Amino acid sequence: MPHILAIDQGTTSSRGIIFDADMRIAATAQEEFSQHYPASGWVEHDPSDLWSTTAATARAAIEKAGLSAEDIAAIGITNQRETTLVWDRETGQPIHNAIVWQDRRTSDLCRALREAGHEAMVTERTGLLLDPYFSGTKLKWLLDNVEGARERARKGELIFGTVDTYLIWKLTGGKTHATDATNAARTLLYDIRKGRWSRTICDLLDIPVEMLPEVRDCAADFGVTRPDLFGREIPILGVAGDQQAATIGQACFQPGMLKSTYGTGCFAVLNTGDTLVTSQNRLLGTIAYQFDGKPTYALEGSIFIAGAVVQWLRDGLKIIREAKETQPLAETADTGQNVILVPAFTGLGAPYWNAECRGAIYGLTRNSGPAEFAKAALESVGYQTRDLLEAMRSDWDGAADGVLRVDGGMSASDWAMQFLSDIIGAPVDRPEVLETTALGAAWLAGMRAGLYPSQSEFARSWALENRFEPAMDQATRDEKYAAWKRAVAATLTV
């Protein structure tokens, strides 16, 4: 029976996941790679790490499933978004490390562009804000700061890509320089209304349009792999940025459906159908997915630190050895303390968009210890999610108080999901398949290959594993959220 290989290239690791003909996981391989922090607020990846771990885990997953390349009908790719690479068109040699989506080095540039009055134009075209999060100002930084880069770019020697584009280029041996609409929509350079690169914004940032990849649908022909990689050519037929792939994997195909993914960051995506909502609360308008040249739009709220706060407990404070220790530790916390952690380690994302503020902890007592820190870390994700949902309800009438579908590593924590349901006052649904990001990429490729069902049939196959219902009384919910809002306000003023 044919299988699909999903490549899930994330912020801290790369994974290869094999799905069988019934969209069940047959094998998974994962490999972490190093994070580089050359200066405060700067985050980079070595492009060779992105490629080597992707290739290795793809091969390992095929081997673990007991398959060969002959058994793989197609490849789907999902990726960390906004992370920016520039490489030589002929040799494939990157000119610098990849600048990661978390990186804040272009804060001053973004502030200058805002003060010059450009944000309204950028938001109208892209749905995004002038923030270091997005690829456009990262690309400008590379052209401005790597010796000779701008001149080489103007000569056509250099090309740009987000991680999906770089992997496609490497997989196809340099034959395909392309991206999909969801990744293009996160670059700050793509007009999501007109469906093309914005020359106006490229001119503003002094970026040659010729550097940019061709934009295709999420389910499309992205070329075939080099035969030496896996033993034969395999078509690449599906691509979506990680949060859009999770939206697809959660089958959020109807306007008003909402999912939230808890990985390194937290990303809530609300399907708004044909309507591109202009947020009044500094949420992002974006593309949820695109089929047959027709985009479906979404409102997105992005939180920079979700699962990363658990990594901080492990690697920074060293109060846990493994992420799974966080829940039992939190369960032992002193209920009389109300320690609040605002995890603004790289600034705050939606709806605040403050790149300058940094993390803070409030409510410490002499008895505060590891258990209270663990509880505050998990609760911070629930509070931040409520911030996003409040903003979405304010922006769009279609965002009713409905069910929130969740996925990602942290969604496996019953404690965290129960608190999430309590603090938002709505049901939280966890699906049987938590690997929704990889599933979304696999379904795109499998559907394009004729192996997997249509969109409507796929939506009907979504299955619930557990529903968390709110158990907190309204007075407690309001009191706790008000304390969170005070803590955020204090953090923003430091």
Side-chain angles (χ1 to χ4, degrees), residues 5-10 12-19 25 27-33 50 53-59 61 76 78 167 408-409 434-439:
L5 166 63
I7 290 172
D8 183 356
Q9 202 300 300
T12 59
S13 69
S14 299
R15 298 189 305 158
I17 302 102
I18 302 295
F19 288 83
I25 293 176
T28 300
Q30 181 170 357
E31 189 174 335
E32 293 190 358
F33 53 85
L50 301 180
T53 56
T54 295
T57 53
R59 291 192 189 103
T78 184
L167 294 182
L434 280 180
E435 296 287 0
T436 56
T437 303
L439 176 61

PDB file of all heavy atoms in Angstrom, residues 5-10 12-19 25 27-33 50 53-59 61 76 78 167 408-409 434-439:
ATOM      1  N   LEU A   5       5.061  10.583   3.117  1.00  0.00           N
ATOM      2  CA  LEU A   5       6.087  11.085   4.020  1.00  0.00           C
ATOM      3  C   LEU A   5       5.789  12.549   4.330  1.00  0.00           C
ATOM      4  O   LEU A   5       5.744  13.381   3.424  1.00  0.00           O
ATOM      5  CB  LEU A   5       7.483  10.960   3.388  1.00  0.00           C
ATOM      6  CG  LEU A   5       8.611  11.739   4.087  1.00  0.00           C
ATOM      7  CD1 LEU A   5       8.833  11.226   5.512  1.00  0.00           C
ATOM      8  CD2 LEU A   5       9.902  11.656   3.272  1.00  0.00           C
ATOM      9  N   ALA A   6       5.569  12.854   5.606  1.00  0.00           N
ATOM     10  CA  ALA A   6       5.412  14.235   6.034  1.00  0.00           C
ATOM     11  C   ALA A   6       6.723  14.702   6.653  1.00  0.00           C
ATOM     12  O   ALA A   6       7.262  14.050   7.557  1.00  0.00           O
ATOM     13  CB  ALA A   6       4.273  14.369   7.047  1.00  0.00           C
ATOM     14  N   ILE A   7       7.235  15.807   6.160  1.00  0.00           N
ATOM     15  CA  ILE A   7       8.416  16.443   6.738  1.00  0.00           C
ATOM     16  C   ILE A   7       7.925  17.601   7.598  1.00  0.00           C
ATOM     17  O   ILE A   7       7.231  18.498   7.113  1.00  0.00           O
ATOM     18  CB  ILE A   7       9.368  16.949   5.642  1.00  0.00           C
ATOM     19  CG1 ILE A   7      10.030  15.761   4.928  1.00  0.00           C
ATOM     20  CG2 ILE A   7      10.419  17.891   6.222  1.00  0.00           C
ATOM     21  CD1 ILE A   7      10.847  16.147   3.713  1.00  0.00           C
ATOM     22  N   ASP A   8       8.256  17.554   8.882  1.00  0.00           N
ATOM     23  CA  ASP A   8       7.850  18.605   9.818  1.00  0.00           C
ATOM     24  C   ASP A   8       9.115  19.243  10.372  1.00  0.00           C
ATOM     25  O   ASP A   8       9.728  18.744  11.321  1.00  0.00           O
ATOM     26  CB  ASP A   8       7.002  17.995  10.944  1.00  0.00           C
ATOM     27  CG  ASP A   8       6.475  19.044  11.924  1.00  0.00           C
ATOM     28  OD1 ASP A   8       6.820  20.229  11.780  1.00  0.00           O
ATOM     29  OD2 ASP A   8       5.715  18.668  12.833  1.00  0.00           O
ATOM     30  N   GLN A   9       9.509  20.352   9.761  1.00  0.00           N
ATOM     31  CA  GLN A   9      10.744  21.021  10.161  1.00  0.00           C
ATOM     32  C   GLN A   9      10.383  22.138  11.149  1.00  0.00           C
ATOM     33  O   GLN A   9       9.847  23.170  10.762  1.00  0.00           O
ATOM     34  CB  GLN A   9      11.480  21.579   8.947  1.00  0.00           C
ATOM     35  CG  GLN A   9      12.974  21.808   9.181  1.00  0.00           C
ATOM     36  CD  GLN A   9      13.248  22.783  10.295  1.00  0.00           C
ATOM     37  OE1 GLN A   9      12.829  23.939  10.236  1.00  0.00           O
ATOM     38  NE2 GLN A   9      13.934  22.322  11.351  1.00  0.00           N
ATOM     39  N   GLY A  10      10.687  21.933  12.426  1.00  0.00           N
ATOM     40  CA  GLY A  10      10.289  22.865  13.465  1.00  0.00           C
ATOM     41  C   GLY A  10      11.424  23.714  13.988  1.00  0.00           C
ATOM     42  O   GLY A  10      12.553  23.664  13.497  1.00  0.00           O
ATOM     43  N   THR A  12      12.933  23.627  16.997  1.00  0.00           N
ATOM     44  CA  THR A  12      13.963  22.971  17.793  1.00  0.00           C
ATOM     45  C   THR A  12      14.328  21.586  17.285  1.00  0.00           C
ATOM     46  O   THR A  12      15.308  21.009  17.744  1.00  0.00           O
ATOM     47  CB  THR A  12      13.513  22.857  19.267  1.00  0.00           C
ATOM     48  OG1 THR A  12      12.289  22.111  19.322  1.00  0.00           O
ATOM     49  CG2 THR A  12      13.288  24.240  19.865  1.00  0.00           C
ATOM     50  N   SER A  13      13.543  21.040  16.360  1.00  0.00           N
ATOM     51  CA  SER A  13      13.845  19.711  15.830  1.00  0.00           C
ATOM     52  C   SER A  13      13.225  19.535  14.456  1.00  0.00           C
ATOM     53  O   SER A  13      12.322  20.283  14.069  1.00  0.00           O
ATOM     54  CB  SER A  13      13.322  18.617  16.770  1.00  0.00           C
ATOM     55  OG  SER A  13      11.908  18.578  16.763  1.00  0.00           O
ATOM     56  N   SER A  14      13.725  18.531  13.758  1.00  0.00           N
ATOM     57  CA  SER A  14      13.135  18.118  12.482  1.00  0.00           C
ATOM     58  C   SER A  14      12.586  16.709  12.654  1.00  0.00           C
ATOM     59  O   SER A  14      13.148  15.898  13.392  1.00  0.00           O
ATOM     60  CB  SER A  14      14.178  18.121  11.367  1.00  0.00           C
ATOM     61  OG  SER A  14      14.705  19.415  11.177  1.00  0.00           O
ATOM     62  N   ARG A  15      11.485  16.435  11.947  1.00  0.00           N
ATOM     63  CA  ARG A  15      10.864  15.116  12.064  1.00  0.00           C
ATOM     64  C   ARG A  15      10.433  14.613  10.705  1.00  0.00           C
ATOM     65  O   ARG A  15      10.024  15.372   9.833  1.00  0.00           O
ATOM     66  CB  ARG A  15       9.640  15.178  12.985  1.00  0.00           C
ATOM     67  CG  ARG A  15       9.964  15.584  14.409  1.00  0.00           C
ATOM     68  CD  ARG A  15       8.780  15.430  15.322  1.00  0.00           C
ATOM     69  NE  ARG A  15       7.625  16.158  14.813  1.00  0.00           N
ATOM     70  CZ  ARG A  15       6.356  15.878  15.147  1.00  0.00           C
ATOM     71  NH1 ARG A  15       6.089  14.863  15.940  1.00  0.00           N
ATOM     72  NH2 ARG A  15       5.385  16.601  14.683  1.00  0.00           N
ATOM     73  N   GLY A  16      10.522  13.312  10.560  1.00  0.00           N
ATOM     74  CA  GLY A  16       9.927  12.627   9.421  1.00  0.00           C
ATOM     75  C   GLY A  16       8.833  11.726   9.949  1.00  0.00           C
ATOM     76  O   GLY A  16       9.054  10.983  10.912  1.00  0.00           O
ATOM     77  N   ILE A  17       7.645  11.810   9.379  1.00  0.00           N
ATOM     78  CA  ILE A  17       6.513  11.003   9.842  1.00  0.00           C
ATOM     79  C   ILE A  17       5.905  10.295   8.633  1.00  0.00           C
ATOM     80  O   ILE A  17       5.581  10.938   7.628  1.00  0.00           O
ATOM     81  CB  ILE A  17       5.437  11.853  10.546  1.00  0.00           C
ATOM     82  CG1 ILE A  17       6.031  12.602  11.724  1.00  0.00           C
ATOM     83  CG2 ILE A  17       4.285  10.990  11.034  1.00  0.00           C
ATOM     84  CD1 ILE A  17       6.303  14.046  11.466  1.00  0.00           C
ATOM     85  N   ILE A  18       5.762   8.986   8.732  1.00  0.00           N
ATOM     86  CA  ILE A  18       5.153   8.193   7.671  1.00  0.00           C
ATOM     87  C   ILE A  18       3.685   7.956   8.002  1.00  0.00           C
ATOM     88  O   ILE A  18       3.358   7.465   9.093  1.00  0.00           O
ATOM     89  CB  ILE A  18       5.860   6.838   7.501  1.00  0.00           C
ATOM     90  CG1 ILE A  18       7.354   7.024   7.186  1.00  0.00           C
ATOM     91  CG2 ILE A  18       5.181   6.020   6.403  1.00  0.00           C
ATOM     92  CD1 ILE A  18       7.635   7.703   5.866  1.00  0.00           C
ATOM     93  N   PHE A  19       2.810   8.304   7.091  1.00  0.00           N
ATOM     94  CA  PHE A  19       1.375   8.024   7.223  1.00  0.00           C
ATOM     95  C   PHE A  19       0.990   6.953   6.215  1.00  0.00           C
ATOM     96  O   PHE A  19       1.425   6.998   5.053  1.00  0.00           O
ATOM     97  CB  PHE A  19       0.552   9.287   6.953  1.00  0.00           C
ATOM     98  CG  PHE A  19       0.631  10.321   8.053  1.00  0.00           C
ATOM     99  CD1 PHE A  19       1.687  11.210   8.110  1.00  0.00           C
ATOM    100  CD2 PHE A  19      -0.357  10.401   9.023  1.00  0.00           C
ATOM    101  CE1 PHE A  19       1.768  12.161   9.107  1.00  0.00           C
ATOM    102  CE2 PHE A  19      -0.294  11.352  10.029  1.00  0.00           C
ATOM    103  CZ  PHE A  19       0.768  12.238  10.080  1.00  0.00           C
ATOM    104  N   ILE A  25      -0.388   7.027  11.537  1.00  0.00           N
ATOM    105  CA  ILE A  25       1.059   7.132  11.621  1.00  0.00           C
ATOM    106  C   ILE A  25       1.674   5.736  11.673  1.00  0.00           C
ATOM    107  O   ILE A  25       1.316   4.913  12.522  1.00  0.00           O
ATOM    108  CB  ILE A  25       1.482   7.953  12.850  1.00  0.00           C
ATOM    109  CG1 ILE A  25       1.031   9.416  12.672  1.00  0.00           C
ATOM    110  CG2 ILE A  25       2.994   7.894  13.063  1.00  0.00           C
ATOM    111  CD1 ILE A  25       1.308  10.308  13.872  1.00  0.00           C
ATOM    112  N   ALA A  27       5.315   5.427  11.313  1.00  0.00           N
ATOM    113  CA  ALA A  27       6.650   5.562  11.912  1.00  0.00           C
ATOM    114  C   ALA A  27       6.995   7.037  12.037  1.00  0.00           C
ATOM    115  O   ALA A  27       6.530   7.874  11.241  1.00  0.00           O
ATOM    116  CB  ALA A  27       7.707   4.846  11.078  1.00  0.00           C
ATOM    117  N   THR A  28       7.825   7.346  13.035  1.00  0.00           N
ATOM    118  CA  THR A  28       8.276   8.717  13.259  1.00  0.00           C
ATOM    119  C   THR A  28       9.753   8.712  13.606  1.00  0.00           C
ATOM    120  O   THR A  28      10.217   7.840  14.349  1.00  0.00           O
ATOM    121  CB  THR A  28       7.501   9.379  14.420  1.00  0.00           C
ATOM    122  OG1 THR A  28       6.114   9.413  14.110  1.00  0.00           O
ATOM    123  CG2 THR A  28       7.977  10.805  14.656  1.00  0.00           C
ATOM    124  N   ALA A  29      10.472   9.669  13.068  1.00  0.00           N
ATOM    125  CA  ALA A  29      11.871   9.881  13.451  1.00  0.00           C
ATOM    126  C   ALA A  29      12.062  11.362  13.750  1.00  0.00           C
ATOM    127  O   ALA A  29      11.496  12.216  13.044  1.00  0.00           O
ATOM    128  CB  ALA A  29      12.810   9.431  12.333  1.00  0.00           C
ATOM    129  N   GLN A  30      12.828  11.656  14.785  1.00  0.00           N
ATOM    130  CA  GLN A  30      13.006  13.045  15.210  1.00  0.00           C
ATOM    131  C   GLN A  30      14.456  13.292  15.584  1.00  0.00           C
ATOM    132  O   GLN A  30      15.127  12.422  16.134  1.00  0.00           O
ATOM    133  CB  GLN A  30      12.105  13.365  16.408  1.00  0.00           C
ATOM    134  CG  GLN A  30      12.211  14.803  16.910  1.00  0.00           C
ATOM    135  CD  GLN A  30      11.140  15.137  17.931  1.00  0.00           C
ATOM    136  OE1 GLN A  30      10.284  14.320  18.238  1.00  0.00           O
ATOM    137  NE2 GLN A  30      11.164  16.350  18.455  1.00  0.00           N
ATOM    138  N   GLU A  31      14.927  14.505  15.294  1.00  0.00           N
ATOM    139  CA  GLU A  31      16.293  14.877  15.657  1.00  0.00           C
ATOM    140  C   GLU A  31      16.311  16.355  16.029  1.00  0.00           C
ATOM    141  O   GLU A  31      15.883  17.209  15.253  1.00  0.00           O
ATOM    142  CB  GLU A  31      17.247  14.600  14.486  1.00  0.00           C
ATOM    143  CG  GLU A  31      18.708  14.761  14.843  1.00  0.00           C
ATOM    144  CD  GLU A  31      19.641  14.343  13.711  1.00  0.00           C
ATOM    145  OE1 GLU A  31      19.222  13.513  12.870  1.00  0.00           O
ATOM    146  OE2 GLU A  31      20.781  14.844  13.671  1.00  0.00           O
ATOM    147  N   GLU A  32      16.802  16.643  17.224  1.00  0.00           N
ATOM    148  CA  GLU A  32      16.950  18.035  17.657  1.00  0.00           C
ATOM    149  C   GLU A  32      18.216  18.631  17.069  1.00  0.00           C
ATOM    150  O   GLU A  32      19.126  17.912  16.651  1.00  0.00           O
ATOM    151  CB  GLU A  32      16.984  18.120  19.189  1.00  0.00           C
ATOM    152  CG  GLU A  32      15.673  17.749  19.857  1.00  0.00           C
ATOM    153  CD  GLU A  32      15.654  18.072  21.347  1.00  0.00           C
ATOM    154  OE1 GLU A  32      16.686  18.545  21.874  1.00  0.00           O
ATOM    155  OE2 GLU A  32      14.603  17.846  21.986  1.00  0.00           O
ATOM    156  N   PHE A  33      18.266  19.960  17.047  1.00  0.00           N
ATOM    157  CA  PHE A  33      19.462  20.642  16.581  1.00  0.00           C
ATOM    158  C   PHE A  33      19.700  21.877  17.443  1.00  0.00           C
ATOM    159  O   PHE A  33      18.832  22.305  18.202  1.00  0.00           O
ATOM    160  CB  PHE A  33      19.369  21.017  15.087  1.00  0.00           C
ATOM    161  CG  PHE A  33      18.129  21.784  14.729  1.00  0.00           C
ATOM    162  CD1 PHE A  33      18.074  23.161  14.870  1.00  0.00           C
ATOM    163  CD2 PHE A  33      16.999  21.126  14.252  1.00  0.00           C
ATOM    164  CE1 PHE A  33      16.920  23.862  14.545  1.00  0.00           C
ATOM    165  CE2 PHE A  33      15.838  21.817  13.932  1.00  0.00           C
ATOM    166  CZ  PHE A  33      15.807  23.198  14.069  1.00  0.00           C
ATOM    167  N   LEU A  50      19.399  22.431   9.551  1.00  0.00           N
ATOM    168  CA  LEU A  50      18.028  22.289   9.063  1.00  0.00           C
ATOM    169  C   LEU A  50      17.960  21.209   7.986  1.00  0.00           C
ATOM    170  O   LEU A  50      17.052  20.370   7.986  1.00  0.00           O
ATOM    171  CB  LEU A  50      17.512  23.613   8.509  1.00  0.00           C
ATOM    172  CG  LEU A  50      17.475  24.810   9.463  1.00  0.00           C
ATOM    173  CD1 LEU A  50      16.932  26.046   8.741  1.00  0.00           C
ATOM    174  CD2 LEU A  50      16.626  24.501  10.691  1.00  0.00           C
ATOM    175  N   THR A  53      19.253  17.384   9.362  1.00  0.00           N
ATOM    176  CA  THR A  53      18.282  16.713  10.225  1.00  0.00           C
ATOM    177  C   THR A  53      17.012  16.369   9.459  1.00  0.00           C
ATOM    178  O   THR A  53      16.387  15.325   9.722  1.00  0.00           O
ATOM    179  CB  THR A  53      17.934  17.570  11.448  1.00  0.00           C
ATOM    180  OG1 THR A  53      17.449  18.854  11.021  1.00  0.00           O
ATOM    181  CG2 THR A  53      19.146  17.759  12.350  1.00  0.00           C
ATOM    182  N   THR A  54      16.637  17.197   8.501  1.00  0.00           N
ATOM    183  CA  THR A  54      15.464  16.887   7.671  1.00  0.00           C
ATOM    184  C   THR A  54      15.713  15.640   6.830  1.00  0.00           C
ATOM    185  O   THR A  54      14.890  14.710   6.799  1.00  0.00           O
ATOM    186  CB  THR A  54      15.119  18.075   6.764  1.00  0.00           C
ATOM    187  OG1 THR A  54      14.710  19.181   7.566  1.00  0.00           O
ATOM    188  CG2 THR A  54      14.004  17.721   5.789  1.00  0.00           C
ATOM    189  N   ALA A  55      16.846  15.613   6.145  1.00  0.00           N
ATOM    190  CA  ALA A  55      17.162  14.461   5.293  1.00  0.00           C
ATOM    191  C   ALA A  55      17.308  13.187   6.126  1.00  0.00           C
ATOM    192  O   ALA A  55      16.801  12.117   5.757  1.00  0.00           O
ATOM    193  CB  ALA A  55      18.439  14.732   4.503  1.00  0.00           C
ATOM    194  N   ALA A  56      17.972  13.308   7.271  1.00  0.00           N
ATOM    195  CA  ALA A  56      18.227  12.123   8.101  1.00  0.00           C
ATOM    196  C   ALA A  56      16.930  11.562   8.680  1.00  0.00           C
ATOM    197  O   ALA A  56      16.726  10.332   8.692  1.00  0.00           O
ATOM    198  CB  ALA A  56      19.202  12.473   9.230  1.00  0.00           C
ATOM    199  N   THR A  57      16.055  12.425   9.175  1.00  0.00           N
ATOM    200  CA  THR A  57      14.820  11.919   9.782  1.00  0.00           C
ATOM    201  C   THR A  57      13.848  11.395   8.733  1.00  0.00           C
ATOM    202  O   THR A  57      13.099  10.451   8.999  1.00  0.00           O
ATOM    203  CB  THR A  57      14.135  13.008  10.625  1.00  0.00           C
ATOM    204  OG1 THR A  57      13.943  14.201   9.838  1.00  0.00           O
ATOM    205  CG2 THR A  57      14.973  13.363  11.848  1.00  0.00           C
ATOM    206  N   ALA A  58      13.879  11.968   7.538  1.00  0.00           N
ATOM    207  CA  ALA A  58      13.035  11.439   6.464  1.00  0.00           C
ATOM    208  C   ALA A  58      13.462  10.015   6.114  1.00  0.00           C
ATOM    209  O   ALA A  58      12.631   9.097   6.003  1.00  0.00           O
ATOM    210  CB  ALA A  58      13.111  12.347   5.235  1.00  0.00           C
ATOM    211  N   ARG A  59      14.766   9.823   5.964  1.00  0.00           N
ATOM    212  CA  ARG A  59      15.271   8.476   5.652  1.00  0.00           C
ATOM    213  C   ARG A  59      14.991   7.511   6.806  1.00  0.00           C
ATOM    214  O   ARG A  59      14.593   6.353   6.589  1.00  0.00           O
ATOM    215  CB  ARG A  59      16.781   8.532   5.388  1.00  0.00           C
ATOM    216  CG  ARG A  59      17.192   9.256   4.105  1.00  0.00           C
ATOM    217  CD  ARG A  59      18.658   9.000   3.810  1.00  0.00           C
ATOM    218  NE  ARG A  59      19.150   9.833   2.719  1.00  0.00           N
ATOM    219  CZ  ARG A  59      19.906  10.924   2.878  1.00  0.00           C
ATOM    220  NH1 ARG A  59      20.246  11.316   4.096  1.00  0.00           N
ATOM    221  NH2 ARG A  59      20.316  11.615   1.842  1.00  0.00           N
ATOM    222  N   ALA A  61      12.635   7.604   9.078  1.00  0.00           N
ATOM    223  CA  ALA A  61      11.215   7.263   9.190  1.00  0.00           C
ATOM    224  C   ALA A  61      10.821   6.197   8.175  1.00  0.00           C
ATOM    225  O   ALA A  61      10.074   5.257   8.498  1.00  0.00           O
ATOM    226  CB  ALA A  61      10.363   8.514   9.000  1.00  0.00           C
ATOM    227  N   GLY A  76       4.790  15.634   1.815  1.00  0.00           N
ATOM    228  CA  GLY A  76       4.201  16.896   2.243  1.00  0.00           C
ATOM    229  C   GLY A  76       5.144  17.564   3.216  1.00  0.00           C
ATOM    230  O   GLY A  76       5.786  16.900   4.035  1.00  0.00           O
ATOM    231  N   THR A  78       5.750  20.682   6.095  1.00  0.00           N
ATOM    232  CA  THR A  78       5.295  21.774   6.954  1.00  0.00           C
ATOM    233  C   THR A  78       6.506  22.285   7.717  1.00  0.00           C
ATOM    234  O   THR A  78       7.457  21.532   7.965  1.00  0.00           O
ATOM    235  CB  THR A  78       4.164  21.332   7.896  1.00  0.00           C
ATOM    236  OG1 THR A  78       3.694  22.462   8.633  1.00  0.00           O
ATOM    237  CG2 THR A  78       4.620  20.245   8.861  1.00  0.00           C
ATOM    238  N   LEU A 167      14.099  23.938   1.874  1.00  0.00           N
ATOM    239  CA  LEU A 167      14.055  22.471   1.830  1.00  0.00           C
ATOM    240  C   LEU A 167      13.633  21.965   0.452  1.00  0.00           C
ATOM    241  O   LEU A 167      14.185  20.976  -0.042  1.00  0.00           O
ATOM    242  CB  LEU A 167      13.102  21.939   2.900  1.00  0.00           C
ATOM    243  CG  LEU A 167      13.514  22.173   4.354  1.00  0.00           C
ATOM    244  CD1 LEU A 167      12.497  21.551   5.297  1.00  0.00           C
ATOM    245  CD2 LEU A 167      14.912  21.624   4.637  1.00  0.00           C
ATOM    246  N   GLY A 408      -0.563  20.020  19.485  1.00  0.00           N
ATOM    247  CA  GLY A 408       0.795  20.387  19.878  1.00  0.00           C
ATOM    248  C   GLY A 408       1.195  19.700  21.170  1.00  0.00           C
ATOM    249  O   GLY A 408       0.360  19.178  21.915  1.00  0.00           O
ATOM    250  N   GLY A 409       2.488  19.729  21.455  1.00  0.00           N
ATOM    251  CA  GLY A 409       3.032  18.984  22.580  1.00  0.00           C
ATOM    252  C   GLY A 409       2.381  19.272  23.912  1.00  0.00           C
ATOM    253  O   GLY A 409       2.063  18.356  24.679  1.00  0.00           O
ATOM    254  N   LEU A 434      -2.852  13.870  17.741  1.00  0.00           N
ATOM    255  CA  LEU A 434      -2.256  15.126  18.189  1.00  0.00           C
ATOM    256  C   LEU A 434      -1.275  15.692  17.172  1.00  0.00           C
ATOM    257  O   LEU A 434      -0.947  16.871  17.208  1.00  0.00           O
ATOM    258  CB  LEU A 434      -1.536  14.919  19.525  1.00  0.00           C
ATOM    259  CG  LEU A 434      -2.413  14.897  20.777  1.00  0.00           C
ATOM    260  CD1 LEU A 434      -1.555  14.693  22.014  1.00  0.00           C
ATOM    261  CD2 LEU A 434      -3.225  16.169  20.892  1.00  0.00           C
ATOM    262  N   GLU A 435      -0.806  14.844  16.273  1.00  0.00           N
ATOM    263  CA  GLU A 435       0.146  15.283  15.247  1.00  0.00           C
ATOM    264  C   GLU A 435      -0.593  15.965  14.102  1.00  0.00           C
ATOM    265  O   GLU A 435      -0.470  15.577  12.929  1.00  0.00           O
ATOM    266  CB  GLU A 435       0.957  14.091  14.740  1.00  0.00           C
ATOM    267  CG  GLU A 435       1.834  13.444  15.792  1.00  0.00           C
ATOM    268  CD  GLU A 435       3.041  14.285  16.143  1.00  0.00           C
ATOM    269  OE1 GLU A 435       3.197  15.382  15.568  1.00  0.00           O
ATOM    270  OE2 GLU A 435       3.829  13.851  16.994  1.00  0.00           O
ATOM    271  N   THR A 436      -1.368  16.981  14.438  1.00  0.00           N
ATOM    272  CA  THR A 436      -2.206  17.597  13.410  1.00  0.00           C
ATOM    273  C   THR A 436      -1.401  18.381  12.382  1.00  0.00           C
ATOM    274  O   THR A 436      -1.825  18.506  11.229  1.00  0.00           O
ATOM    275  CB  THR A 436      -3.254  18.518  14.058  1.00  0.00           C
ATOM    276  OG1 THR A 436      -2.585  19.488  14.872  1.00  0.00           O
ATOM    277  CG2 THR A 436      -4.220  17.738  14.910  1.00  0.00           C
ATOM    278  N   THR A 437      -0.264  18.937  12.783  1.00  0.00           N
ATOM    279  CA  THR A 437       0.567  19.681  11.829  1.00  0.00           C
ATOM    280  C   THR A 437       1.085  18.750  10.747  1.00  0.00           C
ATOM    281  O   THR A 437       0.955  19.029   9.546  1.00  0.00           O
ATOM    282  CB  THR A 437       1.733  20.364  12.561  1.00  0.00           C
ATOM    283  OG1 THR A 437       1.215  21.218  13.583  1.00  0.00           O
ATOM    284  CG2 THR A 437       2.563  21.197  11.603  1.00  0.00           C
ATOM    285  N   ALA A 438       1.662  17.634  11.165  1.00  0.00           N
ATOM    286  CA  ALA A 438       2.143  16.650  10.192  1.00  0.00           C
ATOM    287  C   ALA A 438       0.992  16.046   9.402  1.00  0.00           C
ATOM    288  O   ALA A 438       1.111  15.808   8.188  1.00  0.00           O
ATOM    289  CB  ALA A 438       2.930  15.552  10.909  1.00  0.00           C
ATOM    290  N   LEU A 439      -0.133  15.804  10.074  1.00  0.00           N
ATOM    291  CA  LEU A 439      -1.304  15.251   9.379  1.00  0.00           C
ATOM    292  C   LEU A 439      -1.784  16.203   8.289  1.00  0.00           C
ATOM    293  O   LEU A 439      -2.139  15.762   7.182  1.00  0.00           O
ATOM    294  CB  LEU A 439      -2.432  14.978  10.374  1.00  0.00           C
ATOM    295  CG  LEU A 439      -3.754  14.490   9.786  1.00  0.00           C
ATOM    296  CD1 LEU A 439      -3.572  13.161   9.059  1.00  0.00           C
ATOM    297  CD2 LEU A 439      -4.821  14.358  10.875  1.00  0.00           C
TER     298      LEU A 439
END
